[in-house]
Amino acid sequence: MCRSIKTLRPPALPEEATEDDIRAAALQYVRKVSGFHHPAAHNREVFERAVDEIADATARLLDGLEVRGAHPAVRRQAREPQADAV
């Protein structure tokens, strides 16, 4: 288990996970699985593609989760799209 990857859903994470949070978790996963902290030039493309694909899958997972047993405000916040700050 990669201990650097944190839980990205409420209530473990009080606010919605950011793209940076999701990408950092994906990067840690790919590093752990591949055994490379920084890939060689000949592996960089496949390494980055894996990070992108895992980040996309993680975002879809988080978007689809329903957190039961959480405080109603946390459940509502997890389901409702956030208004962009102006």
Side-chain angles (χ1 to χ4, degrees), residues 53-72:
E53 290 172 1
I54 292 166
D56 289 344
T58 301
R60 287 192 307 273
L61 170 67
L62 293 173
D63 286 344
L65 287 177
E66 178 182 337
V67 181
R68 293 187 176 182
H71 186 275

Side-chain angles (χ1 to χ4, degrees), residues 2-70:
C2 189
R3 297 180 196 275
S4 299
I5 299 174
K6 63 183 179 179
T7 302
L8 298 180
R9 64 158 180 83
L13 188 68
E15 69 280 347
E16 188 173 319
T18 66
E19 287 183 33
D20 288 341
D21 293 329
I22 292 170
R23 183 149 181 91
L27 178 60
Q28 287 298 319
Y29 176 82
V30 171
R31 285 176 173 168
K32 184 68 165 189
V33 170
S34 70
F36 295 115
H37 188 72
H38 297 290
H42 62 277
N43 287 326
R44 187 164 290 123
E45 182 179 339
V46 70
F47 189 93
E48 288 299 321
R49 186 171 52 242
V51 172
D52 292 341
E53 290 172 1
I54 292 166
D56 289 344
T58 301
R60 287 192 307 273
L61 170 67
L62 293 173
D63 286 344
L65 287 177
E66 178 182 337
V67 181
R68 293 187 176 182

